[in-house]
């Protein structure tokens, strides 16, 4: 994830891939002393399927890296470690038996990314690095545009410079804002984001569209809906923004879950959202990476269905063995739409992708790991 404030003299760590020697002069290797005058010289030519993953130590980015590695691809990780965790990358190294490179740098550090692309010459880029708190974006709109829009624009310019033709952008359902209907949203539905977060992502999509419209370039923007679940405890979501971890942590602390708004025009009065498993999100990235045909500029990634906040809390409580919990109702939050679910027909028709994990499976995968920590 991108750092909140860009520190002076951003520290960068590079880990070799086990094929040839490392490649950026003056960068240190975590856990190893750097002798005076030590210099890395990169000598190995990258395979055609090496992907740079920005934000790759984050919750979603690490799952994408895991899935790409399992498919036989190589990955290079860039992350500021503002919200990302180095422990996730260490887990992936041990799981896959690879010395996965991790470059610690802010996504706004254009010079550093220019250097990284020169050194590793990746086949493509998966861009997940972003600031993503809707509430925080209301207080810091300029920073959100700097990180989510301007840094993406700079990264795309670097991709052009280095003749990288494959680019997958991790976007969000927040670009749709608050639809005035209760039907699954389609990619060509109106985009009216109600937060600087959603607006910054939509603006970035426009730049990605320009890149993808150039002959020979390939990729898409994937609009995630509500992401949940985990492939393992090492990759678990550490966000304080997402509903399921919030509810689980409240139960652990002996406090009642909170429902913000109980009088929406839905079947039980609470907001309805499309909850998609992070493992399915990762598979969608892989399907795009492997697609040969030209793709639409943007595609939804969800389940095509929805669950209310009350239903989600009930499932979490059931997984915890405490079904008697009664959540507390409070006033609705500003800007929360009553219904926001994905129409997934486009991604299914274009690349044959469908989500496979049920919400119950996602919650069970997440709950057992969080509750044990």
């Amino acid at each position: 994830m991108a750092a909140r404030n860009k520190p002076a003299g951003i520290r960068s760590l590079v880990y070799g891939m086990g094929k040839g020697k490392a490649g950026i002069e003056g960068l240190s290797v975590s856990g190893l002393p750097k002798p005076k005058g030590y210099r890395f010289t990169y000598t190995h030519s990258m395979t055609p399927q090496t992907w740079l993953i920005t934000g790759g130590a984050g919750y979603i980015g690490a799952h994408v890296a895991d899935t790409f590695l399992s498919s036989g691809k190589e990955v290079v990780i860039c992350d500021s470690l503002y919200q990302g965790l180095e422990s996730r990358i260490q887990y992936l190294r041990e799981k896959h038996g690879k010395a996965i490179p991790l470059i610690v740098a802010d996504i706004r550090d254009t010079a550093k990314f220019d250097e990284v692309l020169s050194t590793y010459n990746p086949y493509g880029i998966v861009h997940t690095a972003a600031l993503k708190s809707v509430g925080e974006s209301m207080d810091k709109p300029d920073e959100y545009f700097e990180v989510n829009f301007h840094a993406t624009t700079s990264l795309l310019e670097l991709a052009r410079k280095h003749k990288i033709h494959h680019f997958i952008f991790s976007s969000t359902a927040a670009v749709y804002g608050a639809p005035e209907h209760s039907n699954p949203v389609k990619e060509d539905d109106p985009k009216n984001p109600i937060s600087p977060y959603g607006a910054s992502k939509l603006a970035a999509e426009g730049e990605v569209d320009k890149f993808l419209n150039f002959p020979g370039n390939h990729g898409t923007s994937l609009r995630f809906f509500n992401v949940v679940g985990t492939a393992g405890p090492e990759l678990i979501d550490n966000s304080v923004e997402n509903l399921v971890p919030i509810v689980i942590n409240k139960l652990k602390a002996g406090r009642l879950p909170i429902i913000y708004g109980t009088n929406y025009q839905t079947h039980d009065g609470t907001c309805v959202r499309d909850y998609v498993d992070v493992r399915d999100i990762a598979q969608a990235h892989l399907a795009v990476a492997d697609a040969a045909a030209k793709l639409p500029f943007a595609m939804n990634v969800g389940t095509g269905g929805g669950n209310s906040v009350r239903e989600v809390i009930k499932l979490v409580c059931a997984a915890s063995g405490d079904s008697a919990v009664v959540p507390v109702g409070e006033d609705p939050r500003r800007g929360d739409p009553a219904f926001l679910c994905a129409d997934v027909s486009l991604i299914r028709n274009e690349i044959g992708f469908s989500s496979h994990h049920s919400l119950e499976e996602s919650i069970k995968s997440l709950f057992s790991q969080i509750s044990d920590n």
Side-chain angles (χ1 to χ4, degrees):
M1 304 298 294
R4 183 186 300 273
N5 294 304
K6 180 178 175 181
I10 293 175
R11 179 174 60 97
S12 295
L13 306 178
V14 173
Y15 302 83
M17 296 185 66
K19 297 179 180 178
K21 299 179 181 179
I24 303 180
E25 182 179 2
L27 301 186
S28 61
V29 180
S30 179
L32 295 177
K34 180 182 175 184
K36 185 176 180 180
Y38 191 82
R39 173 179 176 137
F40 294 108
T41 304
Y42 180 74
T43 58
H44 177 70
S45 177
M46 287 291 160
T47 66
Q49 282 290 299
T50 295
W51 286 76
L52 174 70
I53 303 180
T54 72
Y59 169 52
I60 292 173
H63 278 88
V64 173
D66 187 27
T67 299
F68 275 38
L69 288 163
S70 295
S71 76
K73 292 176 170 52
E74 301 282 1
V75 299
V76 174
I77 306 297
C78 284
D79 199 296
S80 71
L81 301 184
Y82 165 50
Q83 290 183 321
L85 301 175
E86 187 175 342
S87 61
R88 291 180 176 133
I89 307 307
Q90 185 57 37
Y91 163 72
L92 293 179
R93 293 189 186 114
E94 294 170 0
K95 176 181 177 180
H96 296 281
K98 294 178 179 290
I100 301 166
L102 168 61
I103 298 91
V104 181
D106 190 293
I107 190 62
R108 293 168 287 189
D109 190 347
T110 303
K112 181 59 62 185
F113 275 85
D114 190 12
E115 194 175 12
V116 168
L117 293 178
S118 293
T119 300
Y120 291 101
N121 189 28
Y123 176 77
I125 298 172
V126 176
H127 183 34
T128 75
L131 294 174
K132 65 170 188 173
S133 170
V134 171
E136 183 183 60
S137 76
M138 306 296 270
D139 298 326
K140 300 179 178 181
D142 291 344
E143 185 173 1
Y144 269 67
F145 269 87
E146 179 186 342
V147 171
N148 295 351
F149 170 62
H150 293 295
T152 299
T153 301
S154 296
L155 185 61
L156 288 164
E157 291 171 354
L158 289 176
R160 294 186 186 96
K161 173 182 176 180
H162 292 274
K163 296 181 172 54
I164 297 168
H165 299 290
H166 295 76
F167 195 96
I168 304 173
F169 180 54
S170 297
S171 192
T172 172
V175 300
Y176 295 112
E180 297 180 355
H181 58 77
S182 295
N183 300 313
V185 293
K186 296 183 178 181
E187 287 81 357
D188 58 358
D189 278 6
K191 266 69 72 180
N192 298 302
I194 56 178
S195 68
Y197 166 61
S200 66
K201 282 291 204 175
L202 181 61
E205 279 192 17
E207 296 304 309
V208 175
D209 291 355
K210 294 176 186 177
F211 174 85
L212 297 177
N213 201 41
F214 194 83
N217 288 351
H218 183 85
T220 191
S221 295
L222 293 175
R223 295 174 182 158
F224 312 153
F225 283 65
N226 292 60
V227 186
V228 66
T230 185
E234 298 85 358
L235 303 180
I236 206 162
D237 184 9
N238 63 336
S239 171
V240 296
E241 298 288 331
N242 297 333
L243 176 61
V244 173
I246 289 172
V247 174
I248 292 172
N249 288 329
K250 281 189 176 292
L251 293 176
K252 286 176 60 181
R255 293 181 291 169
L256 295 176
I258 297 173
I259 297 177
Y260 293 97
T262 58
N263 292 309
Y264 287 97
Q265 296 300 308
T266 61
H267 63 277
D268 67 6
T270 66
C271 293
V272 173
R273 298 288 183 270
D274 191 332
Y275 293 88
V276 58
D277 195 283
V278 68
R279 292 165 288 188
D280 290 323
I281 293 283
Q283 286 293 333
H285 283 81
L286 179 62
V288 169
D290 288 342
K294 190 75 172 178
L295 299 175
F297 286 146
M299 296 189 289
N300 292 334
V301 186
T303 66
N307 292 88
S308 71
V309 171
R310 194 181 301 278
E311 289 170 338
V312 173
I313 292 176
K314 184 177 180 180
L315 287 171
V316 173
C317 291
S320 74
D322 196 355
S323 299
V325 170
V326 178
V328 176
E330 293 193 0
D331 292 337
R333 294 176 299 190
R334 181 182 59 168
D336 271 351
F339 184 96
L340 187 59
C341 296
D343 184 306
V344 295
S345 56
L346 182 62
I347 194 168
R348 182 177 60 245
N349 293 337
E350 290 290 334
I351 58 176
F353 171 81
S354 295
S355 60
H356 293 289
H357 295 87
S358 68
L359 179 57
E360 291 86 348
E361 291 172 337
S362 299
I363 288 174
K364 287 179 181 178
S365 75
L366 189 59
F367 182 84
S368 61
Q369 308 301 343
I370 293 180
S371 61
D372 288 342
N373 290 339

